[in-house]
Amino acid sequence: MAPARLKVVIIGGSVAGPTLCHTFASTNGLIDYTLLEGRDKFAPALGASILSMPNGARILDQSGLFDDLKRVGSEINTAITSKSDGEFLHKSEWPMLIRERLGYGIECFSRQNLLNVLHDRLEQKQKDKMFLNKRVFEIVDGDDAVTVRCADGSSYSGDIVIGADGIHSIVRKEMQRIAHQSKLGLMQVDEKGFFASKVDCKYTSPNIPRFTVADELRVIAEQGDFQFAPGVTLKMLFENTTQNTSLLALEEANFKYWSWGRMVCVGDSAHKMTPNIGQGGNQAIESAAALTNCLMEALSTSAQKPTLPALQAAFDKYQETRWERSKFFTNISGLTTRDHANAELHHTIRLLFMEPPSAESMTGCEGSGTWGCANFVKTAAFARPGLLDQGCLIMQVGV
């Protein structure tokens, strides 16, 4: 195996972080990594369920994870939208149509089960590269390296730092701090991501509320009679669930700047979308693959370690590759959330009387162009039956 020519420090162990570890493992050792997670577990019992869509599944399939994921997931065949009294508004078999057209179905997981699959394979082979209880509080960005400092006194250095640490990203905050010091006000535009939901007003960062268990129980008490189907209420589902539950603010943002110096953001730290169409995790997976592609391209142009300008060019290409596609999903997710919440009259009218989005638009495979995805590379190993040669990113790494 060739010696590593790029040392990466990944901050965050949720979906984007371990996906990056798997894509870097496909580079024949050219990209080495260290992953730092602030919690005491890689797969805590936190968060809501998560969907695997074909565009994300194709990339995970290349890392040999797809079959393991299917064993812990439940495939969705029908999508139903209902009113509060249980009356069906729309019933569609678009999930089955997606499987027929793209070769992958829609799988639903608890977030914990998905993270277990992503991390188990890494811990078998790469355990010495992954660390828990590493809460980052400062990043020092230099001309030749970047250093991450943790609350426990430890520090880690590399050629680049990747922020896979979510909407409240410490990497993004440090990017903003350093950019503000070096070029006043450049990244202030990113400091006010916002979300809209059925709450008392619209909140902006950093004042987005964090809900407690007491808040969750209050919502169940107030809205427990909501019927998902005739005779099946929210309270019944809550009382009989075998999975953890959460009450979360539905944040959204598509940040203007994804990188600064030797730092770059992936997943929710770059493009946070609401969960109503199930694309948040899949877009994080796409971005992890796209960034890996761009870094591999930078490595291919020289036998030496990439210079800072070469890395910044790779970051710019990564954002350019992903910008339109992530913006599309942020917008359509936000629109769907507002429809479901009856945010305004026109949202209610759309929900009641208009057809839901097409199967193709749910995965971003509508039309013949790739509109912002990395190039599709068709390989026999991953051309599952029904796979269409359009619109979905597939990872191109390895030598």
Side-chain angles (χ1 to χ4, degrees):
M1 182 179 293
R5 287 199 283 120
L6 195 65
K7 173 66 177 176
V8 179
V9 181
I10 303 168
I11 311 301
S14 192
V15 177
T19 300
L20 283 163
C21 297
H22 284 288
T23 60
F24 291 161
S26 302
T27 67
N28 236 14
L30 290 176
I31 301 178
D32 192 17
Y33 71 86
T34 298
L35 184 143
L36 307 179
E37 166 56 45
R39 294 190 174 95
D40 60 358
K41 296 178 181 178
F42 285 120
L46 298 172
S49 58
I50 189 169
L51 296 183
S52 168
M53 306 287 267
N55 49 315
R58 294 167 67 176
I59 295 167
L60 296 178
D61 201 355
Q62 293 178 86
S63 296
L65 299 168
F66 183 73
D67 292 331
D68 288 344
L69 286 169
K70 281 189 67 66
R71 282 192 283 271
V72 300
S74 300
E75 185 168 1
I76 295 174
N77 294 313
T78 305
I80 297 173
T81 303
S82 62
K83 295 167 63 177
S84 60
D85 60 3
E87 178 186 348
F88 288 173
L89 288 176
H90 306 292
K91 182 177 180 180
S92 173
E93 294 183 351
W94 66 261
M96 295 178 64
L97 185 61
I98 282 179
R99 166 171 286 285
E100 293 173 4
R101 292 184 175 179
L102 301 179
Y104 295 92
I106 313 298
E107 300 282 340
C108 182
F109 312 91
S110 72
R111 180 174 291 269
Q112 185 178 38
N113 283 343
L114 174 64
L115 292 178
N116 275 327
V117 170
L118 291 176
H119 280 285
D120 283 352
R121 187 77 60 86
L122 293 171
E123 291 190 40
Q124 292 170 13
K125 299 180 180 179
Q126 310 282 337
K127 192 173 183 179
D128 60 331
K129 301 178 184 291
M130 303 163 62
F131 300 91
L132 292 167
N133 297 305
K134 298 295 181 179
R135 293 199 173 274
V136 176
F137 73 91
E138 185 183 30
I139 299 175
V140 180
D141 191 27
D143 293 334
D144 300 319
V146 59
T147 300
V148 172
R149 293 176 178 169
C150 302
D152 65 357
S154 60
S155 62
Y156 300 83
S157 296
D159 298 303
I160 65 173
V161 166
I162 301 178
D165 49 344
I167 187 66
H168 303 288
S169 169
I170 183 62
V171 176
R172 168 157 295 284
K173 291 176 182 176
E174 287 295 276
M175 283 169 49
Q176 291 171 339
R177 178 183 64 81
I178 294 169
H180 183 74
Q181 290 174 349
S182 61
K183 196 169 182 179
L184 187 63
L186 178 61
M187 292 187 68
Q188 287 182 349
V189 66
D190 282 353
E191 294 176 359
K192 291 187 178 179
F194 69 94
F195 81 101
S197 186
K198 206 68 172 180
V199 290
D200 55 340
C201 65
K202 185 182 293 185
Y203 292 91
T204 60
S205 179
N207 299 313
I208 295 171
R210 299 289 187 93
F211 297 114
T212 65
V213 173
D215 293 322
E216 185 176 357
L217 294 175
R218 174 181 51 78
V219 171
I220 297 300
E222 293 174 353
Q223 303 184 34
D225 291 337
F226 183 98
Q227 296 189 49
F228 287 84
V232 181
T233 66
L234 173 62
K235 184 178 181 180
M236 290 170 59
L237 292 176
F238 179 80
E239 291 176 344
N240 290 280
T241 183
T242 58
Q243 302 290 338
N244 59 294
T245 60
S246 301
L247 178 63
L248 303 170
L250 301 186
E251 302 147 317
E252 59 187 358
N254 202 46
F255 292 107
K256 183 176 181 180
Y257 298 99
W258 291 11
S259 64
W260 183 266
R262 292 179 175 272
M263 297 173 284
V264 61
C265 291
V266 169
D268 286 355
S269 64
H271 45 73
K272 177 69 174 78
M273 54 201 69
T274 58
N276 295 57
I277 66 168
Q279 274 291 343
N282 294 277
Q283 290 305 300
I285 292 168
E286 282 197 22
S287 287
L291 178 58
T292 304
N293 290 344
C294 292
L295 292 175
M296 286 297 290
E297 184 176 337
L299 288 169
S300 71
T301 60
S302 171
Q304 304 302 316
K305 182 176 294 188
T307 62
L308 178 56
L311 289 172
Q312 291 173 332
F315 295 162
D316 289 344
K317 183 173 183 180
Y318 151 66
Q319 180 171 346
E320 180 183 357
T321 297
R322 293 286 299 134
W323 176 258
E324 289 298 329
R325 186 165 167 84
S326 65
K327 183 171 69 173
F328 167 82
F329 279 114
T330 300
N331 290 342
I332 194 172
S333 295
L335 176 62
T336 305
T337 297
R338 289 162 174 80
D339 288 350
H340 289 169
N342 300 154
E344 297 180 20
L345 178 60
H346 63 93
H347 296 110
T348 302
I349 292 173
R350 183 174 16 248
L351 180 69
L352 291 175
F353 301 110
M354 294 183 66
E355 288 293 320
S358 68
E360 289 86 348
S361 68
M362 288 294 193
T363 54
C365 296
E366 197 164 37
S368 59
T370 59
W371 50 284
C373 297
N375 292 331
F376 173 76
V377 180
K378 192 170 184 178
T379 60
F382 301 105
R384 290 181 179 265
L387 194 63
L388 288 185
D389 188 1
Q390 62 176 14
C392 289
L393 179 147
I394 194 164
M395 189 175 68
Q396 335 166 222
V397 298
V399 291

